[in-house]
Amino acid sequence: MINEDKAAIIEALNMYAFALDARQWDLFDRVFTEDVEAVFGPAGAAWVGRAEFKASFAAFHDSLDSHVHTMMGQLVDVDGDTAHAFSYGNWLLVREAAEGGPTWTGTGYYDDELVRTDEGWRIRRRVCRLLSWTGNPSVPEPQREHQPDMNAIGLHQFAAKGDITFLKAITKK
């Protein structure tokens, strides 16, 4: 059963990237709980509730000419009807009209808390942090309305501060 749960969770994590890049916002319903809390350090923002999260991400991503999100290195810890997952992500954002160059690439991680629902595993809380970036910072935020945090911090620094929920979950066992 644990392997089936892990596979279902990894599929939900990957569905997030597919939903973004295909701009199929209703697929967020297969990834997040209705009351999701999403904290995105690179965007300098947090959302509570799937509807607000979807609307904000649709507005932002629809303003880009193109984007590619890659999920990798997924780690999953299942504990009954709750789980924690950690995965790395790469984000290529393209805005052709951006002064200073059309691309920005970020690398970071997702630290997720999931719950088993009647519809399957869903992310209840997601924290996304930036580890490094390159390119034109005006591509992701041309007006700086979110005042993004572009500070690159090593994963070991987040771990030392106790800021990785997945790490807490696997070390308490």
Side-chain angles (χ1 to χ4, degrees):
M1 182 73 167
I2 293 290
N3 287 337
E4 290 88 5
D5 288 333
K6 287 184 176 188
I9 289 167
I10 290 170
E11 181 155 328
L13 300 176
N14 290 330
M15 182 65 71
Y16 164 77
F18 178 76
L20 284 173
D21 294 337
R23 296 183 185 176
Q24 298 296 307
W25 307 112
D26 287 342
L27 291 177
F28 270 32
D29 298 355
R30 296 184 185 188
V31 178
F32 300 102
T33 62
E34 192 171 323
D35 62 346
V36 64
E37 178 186 1
V39 179
F40 276 64
W47 299 269
V48 176
R50 188 172 60 211
E52 178 185 348
F53 187 39
K54 281 168 49 171
S56 180
F57 265 49
F60 171 72
H61 287 86
D62 288 348
S63 75
L64 296 168
D65 294 306
S66 180
H67 43 83
V68 176
H69 295 74
T70 305
M71 307 294 291
M72 62 196 139
Q74 295 94 342
L75 298 168
V76 177
D77 179 68
V78 177
D79 186 9
D81 289 336
T82 61
H84 292 87
F86 181 92
S87 47
Y88 288 103
N90 288 325
W91 318 291
L92 169 63
L93 308 180
V94 179
R95 187 185 312 273
E96 296 295 342
E99 186 174 324
T103 62
W104 179 90
T105 302
T107 299
Y109 71 83
Y110 299 96
D111 188 19
D112 297 320
E113 297 176 33
L114 299 98
V115 293
R116 186 190 316 267
T117 71
D118 291 341
E119 294 80 31
W121 286 97
R122 300 293 186 265
I123 298 169
R124 174 176 50 202
R125 184 167 195 276
R126 165 163 276 187
V127 174
C128 175
R129 296 285 186 241
L130 185 67
L131 296 174
S132 68
W133 65 274
T134 188
N136 181 357
S138 70
V139 171
E141 292 297 334
Q143 285 80 42
R144 300 294 221 210
E145 63 267 17
H146 289 153
Q147 300 175 351
D149 178 2
M150 295 283 197
N151 294 314
I153 299 173
L155 184 64
H156 66 281
Q157 292 167 295
F158 287 108
K161 293 190 310 186
D163 285 347
I164 303 173
T165 304
F166 176 80
L167 185 57
K168 291 178 192 174
I170 63 169
T171 57
K172 74 175 182 179
K173 293 182 175 184

